[in-house]
Structure formats: structure tokens, C-alpha cells
Amino acid sequence: MATTQTGGCQCAKTAATTPTYPQQVTGMDILVRALKNVGIDTMYGLVGIPVTELAYIAQQRGIRFVGFRHEQQAGMAAATHGYLTGKPGVLLTVSSLGFMNGLTATANATVNCYPMIQISGSSVREPIDLDQGNYEALDQFNVAKGLAKAAYRVNRPQDIPTAVVRAYRAAISGRPGGVYLDVTETCLGAIMDGADADKLFFDAVDLCPAMPPATEAVTRAADMLAAAKRPAIIIGKGAAFARVEEQLKKLVDTTGIPYLPMSMGKGVLPDNGPLSALSCRSTIMQQADVVILAGARLNWLLSRGHGKWSPDTKFIQLDIEPTEIDCNRPIAAPVIGDLASSLDALIAAMSSRKMSMDQSWVPSLQAETKDKNSKFAARLADNAAAQPMNHWTALGAIKPIMAANPDVILVNEGANTLDDTRDTLDMTLPRHRVDCATWAIMGMGMGSAIGAAVATGKSVVAIEGDSAFGFSGMDFSTICRYGLPVTVVIFNNGGIYNGIGVNPAGTSDPAPTTLDIHARYDKLGEAFGATTYYVTTPADLSNALTEAIASRKPSLIDVQLGADSGKESGHIGFLNPAALEKFTV
Ligand code: ADP
Ligand code: TZD
Ligand code: MG
């Protein structure tokens, strides 16, 4: 334990407050016990003043502590842990910048409805409030408020058990999200009598209560569904999170309604099932008369309910969040409740109703699927000989291997790397795809891969664009340090979108989109003791991935693509190439 003063901070004094008498406990002891009481078994974070001892105490008392190189990645891991397990993931950060680095992930979790709790040590209150320049002083609580689903500050050790239960409930109940728990250094280091502390703990009852929908809402939805001629179900990541694969299967089996998954809804029902309309997105948007949104928002990923959507489509929205309804488009039949309860109720209501679906609706979608699938297969085959490889060639090599390993969790980020991977790789199991999701952010890859591997014990393959990997690459070392069964596959096309951008000024500086086409990312993996591969052909990629998955050891595959592989998608309307030319001097 450090006793030296760091930057004039007060925290070294905290270090001396670990109780020497068994009947005394610190705020840190109480916090660890409170976390264990609500079932937290894992904590992701990065330590330093004032939370180092807290992490040690957690580790000593049986909470697994996974230490990272950057808090953002620890936060992405906590969020993914929450999403995959249905219990809030926990992130531990130090004050000021550590807190802010982690807050990025907490904000992202809130946007994506992932349950997590960021616990951050914060500097002593009084000098912060008087702006007196204390070590790592920042009014973290007020900064977090705008970005987290909820924020709480604990100033006294006797409030910790209540604070932890409140943070837990806020993270998981209703629409899940990221919760911030500010624990002041003073509170962490405060000493209490052990017997008094014992009296603070309680068993919280029903931490994630069911929220069944109103009967009349279900009746309205069932009537509308039964009358539908061309119905469809859109399965979002809310459905994956809510673990309603059985209910959705039953609804689909009993009604024969086709389904269309959102990116992380893939696998809730099999992508390759007979009623999967994965390839018929535009047709559903244009022709479906009744669409059930099951844990999916009509946000930008669904054109906010406009664009290609027919103005006549009616929506039944199953969601836990009432304010989501009518957000972008009027919802004819809102069903507010937890998805499991809502689907149970809808299935029950449908059992006494007959569907009136057009006989030709499903066969026409199936015919379109067949046609698109064979065109897609031809496209992959067409690229099989491409040298250097492009995104499709590489994915053509990866596809059969992932199909043979359906229980591997896929993490995916990039631009072309994201879109093409999503389109190529079928998912057959729920909660097996984690990607950059609602905000389309880069920099979730290593954290999410680690969270997925730690939370589930399953093997993980992260398919990363070279740019995307750069945001979190240093935490590949965390994969190695913890010996996790993660294979990182980097699609190196030398840039953001591709590596053929041209600097319009003609100077020797690279274009804004250009990165490092000749980089050997495999060497980076070598530095941390991973098994590494540098591959230039589909056959080598295929062998490398097969071996890497089978090994269940940290592995990194650097996939060399051509610099011209990938299309640029980074233009907004007025910054199109023609406009850029106009502005070029
Ligand atoms: P996608 O990006 O896959 O379309 P979104 O993140 O946009 O999914 O939407 C997920 C939706 O699921 C959110 O509106 C959220 O409120 C909802 N949701 C999350 N958990 C539940 C639950 N247990 N029951 C019902 N709805 C839920
Ligand atoms: N910064 C953050 C945090 N998120 C972002 N989404 C971006 C920047 C902008 N951006 C994209 O939207 S995709 C992308 C960036 C930088 C990277 C695309 O390049 P890649 O994938 O190498 O990861 P491809 O295969 O070359 O397209
Ligand atoms: Mg790239």
C-alpha cells in the first residue's frame, strides 16, 4: 500500500485507514459486501488512488477483478457483461480522467439499454466544491448526471448498502442503462464499528420485477395482429437481452409470422430458419401492413419509421419504456411491459384468434430469400480468388468456420468490416453477436470481447476493422494477461473505409482516412505472448481461424486486405466528393 504523497493528494492518508481491529470496517469493506449481497461476482476496472485497496478487498473476498489498460474498455466489458448475463456489469474507476474515460462506456450503455454500474472513487468533496485545486478534483457526480440513466453520490459509509441496491435497481429495472455511483474518498476510507455496519445490510426483494402489460393493450395488439394480411416481427437487441427466444419461437410457430432481426437481434431466432426474412428488409418496410417491434426502437437504424417504410404500415410496439411510444411515428398498438410478460400475454391472446395472413406473403418472402441467398453465395464465391483479399474474400473463408462453431460469440466493429460481416455471417443462437450498436461507435471491440469471454466462459471471435481495432487495441494485452479464449481478427485495408484516400492538398501528409496498410498487427499480439498469424490468402485465414478457435487461447490474426477494399461511407450530404473538389484550392 502506497504511503507516499502523490501530487499533494490527501488519498495516501486513506491508505492508512484499513482497520487493524476485526470489529472495525471501512467504507471499502462495506461496499464490497454490499456488492456481493446483490450478487455481483465480477468487477472490471483500472485502479489507482482512491480505489486500489477497494479492488484488492474485492479480489480477496471473491469478486473477480479484471484489470484493464484503459477505463473505456473496462466499461465496454462491464456493459457487455450486463447485456449477456442480465445482471448489471460493474466498472471501477479512479477520479477525474479515469472517471471520464469510463463515463464514455456508461453513456454508451445507457444509449444501448445495457445494464451497468460505474463506481468511481472521487476526490474529497469540500475542496472540489470550493474549486481549491485538490488532487484529481472534479465534480464527477454532476458531470455524470447528464449521461447516465441515474447517478447517486455516497458520502457516508452507512449509506453504502442502500446506494448499491438503488444503483442496481436503476441499472436493471425498466429500460436498462448505465448508472453512476460516486463514492467519495472520505466515504471509502471512513471507519465504522463492524457490529453497527452489520445492521445496515438487508436482502433486497425482487431486484428486477416483472412488469406485465395492461390487458386492454394486449387485446388491442392481438386484434390487430389477427387481422393482418402481411405481418412481420422485428426482433431487436431488447429481445435478446430479455431472453425471450422461447416466447418468440412460440409466437412464430403458432402464427407463422416471418421475422426480421436487427443486428444484435440476430440469432434470437435462427437467421437461417424458414420464417427468417433477414434478406427481405426493404420488402417488409414497403409491404408489411402490421409490424411487431419486439425490443427494437424505430430509431435511425430503422429510418426512424420513415424513408422506405410504407406510410400505411401499422406498428405494435412491445417495449418496457412508455416514452418510446410515438417517438418517431404513431404507434397503433403500444404494449408496455417487460417483454417476457408481454409476449406470454400476446401468445395467450392469439390462441383464441385466427390469423388472416395472405397465403402468398410468406412464400413470396421465402422466394426472395432464396434468390438473394444464392446471389450472395455467388458474390462470395466470385471473390474467392481475389488477391490481395478483400472483405468478401476474407468473410467467405470465415463463414463456414463460424457456422461450424455456432456457440462462439461474435464481436464486430468497423464500417465495411461491420456491414459485410453482419450480412455474411448467420447467427443461430441468441446473444452471440455484440457490435458497435446504436451509436455506431468505434472502440468497443477489446472491452466487449473480454466482457463476453469473462461473463460466459465461451470462446469469442472479434472481427475488427483496422481503424476500429486502433481504438481499443492496447487492451488486447488484457486478453493475454487473463488468458481468455478470444481470437481477434483484424481486417487491414489500411484505413477508415479503405486505404486509398488521397490528400487533396497534394502534400506528403496522408489523407484523413488513411492508416497503415503495411502494419503488422500480428507483431503487436506477439509482444503480449498471443498466438499470432499474418495471412494473405483465404486458405491461410481458414487454417488460422480454425486453429485459433480450437486452442481457446488468446490469438490475433492479421488479415491483409487490398487497400482498395471497402467503400467510403463517411460523407454527409453537403460534403460529397463534388463539393470537396469545389473547396479544394
Ligand atoms: P435494436 O438496436 O436492436 O433495434 P434498440 O436498442 O433500439 O434495439 O431497442 C431495444 C429496446 O428494448 C429499447 O426500447 C428498450 O426499452 C427495450 N427493452 C429492453 N429491455 C426490455 C425488456 N426487458 N422488456 C421490454 N423491452 C425492453
Ligand atoms: N470515432 C468513433 C468513436 N466512432 C466512430 N464511428 C467514428 C469515429 C467514425 N468511424 C465510423 O463511423 S467507421 C470508422 C470510423 C473511424 C472506422 C472504419 O474503418 P475500419 O473498417 O478500418 O474500422 P473498414 O473495414 O475499413 O470500413
Ligand atoms: Mg479499415
Side-chain angles (χ1 to χ4, degrees):
M1 178 185 312
T3 50
T4 48
Q5 293 281 332
T6 308
C9 82
Q10 306 295 310
C11 317
K13 290 183 195 136
T14 311
T17 58
T18 303
T20 43
Y21 305 106
Q23 68 269 30
Q24 289 191 317
V25 294
T26 63
M28 294 178 280
D29 295 305
I30 297 173
L31 179 51
V32 168
R33 183 167 159 192
L35 288 169
K36 287 195 73 167
N37 249 14
V38 290
I40 300 299
D41 55 15
T42 309
M43 202 186 252
Y44 303 88
L46 202 165
V47 301
I49 293 167
V51 297
T52 310
E53 297 116 296
L54 176 62
Y56 271 116
I57 294 169
Q59 198 169 46
Q60 186 192 26
R61 312 253 159 100
I63 292 181
R64 186 173 192 194
F65 184 83
V66 184
F68 280 68
R69 305 297 284 259
H70 195 287
E71 292 88 351
Q72 180 179 318
Q73 293 312 306
M76 295 295 175
T80 299
H81 187 111
Y83 172 70
L84 294 178
T85 63
K87 286 198 232 160
V90 173
L91 162 68
L92 182 67
T93 55
V94 303
S95 31
S96 69
L97 200 61
F99 150 77
M100 288 205 288
N101 288 342
L103 191 62
T104 311
T106 303
N108 186 57
T110 304
V111 165
N112 281 293
C113 318
Y114 301 148
M116 71 172 275
I117 303 170
Q118 177 179 357
I119 301 176
S120 190
S122 60
S123 189
V124 179
R125 277 287 302 281
E126 293 79 356
I128 293 178
D129 289 350
L130 268 177
D131 195 18
Q132 291 175 311
N134 203 19
Y135 173 74
E136 291 195 352
L138 176 73
D139 186 0
Q140 298 170 187
F141 174 54
N142 283 305
V143 171
K145 271 183 185 169
L147 292 167
K149 181 185 172 191
Y152 305 99
R153 177 158 57 204
V154 211
N155 294 294
R156 311 181 309 161
Q158 56 267 43
D159 293 329
I160 290 174
T162 299
V164 167
V165 168
R166 294 207 69 193
Y168 192 107
R169 285 191 185 280
I172 200 80
S173 58
R175 171 181 280 174
V179 172
Y180 178 61
L181 187 58
D182 193 87
V183 193
T184 63
E185 183 186 314
T186 318
C187 177
L188 286 169
I191 292 180
M192 273 192 80
D193 181 80
D196 289 342
D198 281 345
K199 295 183 199 133
L200 303 170
F201 292 95
F202 59 101
D203 287 330
V205 178
D206 206 0
L207 277 167
C208 184
M211 296 174 71
T215 310
E216 55 275 31
V218 177
T219 305
R220 192 191 300 122
D223 287 344
M224 189 175 294
L225 190 58
K229 301 285 175 211
R230 294 174 308 283
I233 306 176
I234 295 188
I235 302 175
K237 63 178 173 302
F241 170 74
R243 298 175 173 258
V244 289
E245 45 272 17
E246 287 307 320
Q247 285 96 330
L248 281 171
K249 182 175 180 327
K250 195 159 178 194
L251 183 64
V252 165
D253 286 349
T254 53
T255 60
I257 304 176
Y259 55 89
L260 171 67
M262 300 299 289
S263 190
M264 285 171 60
K266 277 164 71 84
V268 170
L269 297 181
D271 281 353
N272 51 9
L275 287 170
S276 168
L278 185 56
S279 318
C280 310
R281 187 181 165 101
S282 299
T283 306
I284 284 176
M285 289 168 105
Q286 284 155 25
Q287 296 182 19
D289 61 345
V290 174
V291 168
I292 302 179
L293 295 165
R297 286 172 283 189
L298 273 183
N299 58 14
W300 71 281
L301 289 157
L302 283 171
S303 309
R304 294 177 44 225
H306 304 291
K308 280 186 180 173
W309 282 103
S310 158
D312 300 327
T313 308
K314 288 192 167 58
F315 291 95
I316 297 170
Q317 185 157 23
L318 310 184
D319 207 290
I320 202 156
E321 176 55 57
T323 62
E324 188 58 37
I325 305 304
D326 296 338
C327 163
N328 275 300
R329 187 165 158 161
I331 300 297
V335 181
I336 301 303
D338 73 277
L339 212 38
S341 303
S342 295
L343 282 167
D344 283 343
L346 188 61
I347 291 163
M350 291 309 290
S351 68
S352 57
R353 288 169 172 79
K354 270 185 91 125
M355 292 294 292
S356 12
M357 216 184 326
D358 276 353
Q359 291 303 306
S360 60
W361 176 233
V362 167
S364 74
L365 293 173
Q366 286 171 333
E368 183 179 337
T369 300
K370 202 168 161 207
D371 181 48
K372 293 241 178 83
N373 282 356
S374 65
K375 284 191 181 130
F376 199 80
R379 178 179 200 171
L380 288 185
D382 191 37
N383 282 288
Q387 274 302 324
M389 283 193 283
N390 59 37
H391 289 76
W392 299 112
T393 331
L395 285 163
I398 290 172
K399 188 176 166 75
I401 299 164
M402 293 303 280
N405 292 280
D407 202 23
V408 167
I409 295 178
L410 176 67
V411 170
N412 189 201
E413 61 174 336
N416 297 281
T417 302
L418 177 87
D419 295 339
D420 300 350
T421 303
R422 187 189 51 234
D423 291 350
T424 307
L425 303 186
D426 281 342
M427 308 305 297
T428 51
L429 294 172
R431 293 171 297 283
H432 276 62
R433 184 182 159 88
V434 184
D435 63 33
C436 39
T438 305
W439 256 351
I441 44 96
M442 302 299 109
M444 46 68 69
M446 296 308 101
S448 288
I450 293 164
V454 169
T456 67
K458 295 185 180 189
S459 293
V460 176
V461 168
I463 302 185
E464 303 270 313
D466 57 324
S467 165
F469 176 71
F471 287 76
S472 68
M474 196 63 196
D475 265 302
F476 183 73
S477 73
T478 302
I479 292 170
C480 297
R481 206 160 52 257
Y482 287 83
L484 298 172
V486 176
T487 301
V488 176
V489 179
I490 301 169
F491 279 8
N492 187 9
N493 61 353
I496 299 172
Y497 313 121
N498 56 48
I500 52 170
V502 176
N503 170 351
T507 65
S508 60
D509 282 347
T513 48
T514 299
L515 294 172
D516 313 290
I517 188 73
H518 299 300
R520 290 289 302 266
Y521 293 101
D522 55 316
K523 307 253 184 217
L524 202 143
E526 242 171 59
F528 297 103
T531 308
T532 61
Y533 308 83
Y534 172 71
V535 298
T536 58
T537 65
D540 286 350
L541 171 54
S542 176
N543 290 337
L545 186 59
T546 306
E547 191 179 290
I549 292 174
S551 77
R552 282 187 56 86
K553 296 220 171 77
S555 311
L556 189 149
I557 307 176
D558 181 346
V559 183
Q560 184 67 64
L561 304 184
D564 60 352
S565 180
K567 58 179 189 296
E568 191 168 328
S569 58
H571 291 175
I572 54 174
F574 65 91
L575 266 186
N576 57 40
L580 187 62
E581 222 164 85
K582 253 198 324 214
F583 289 116
T584 305
V585 282

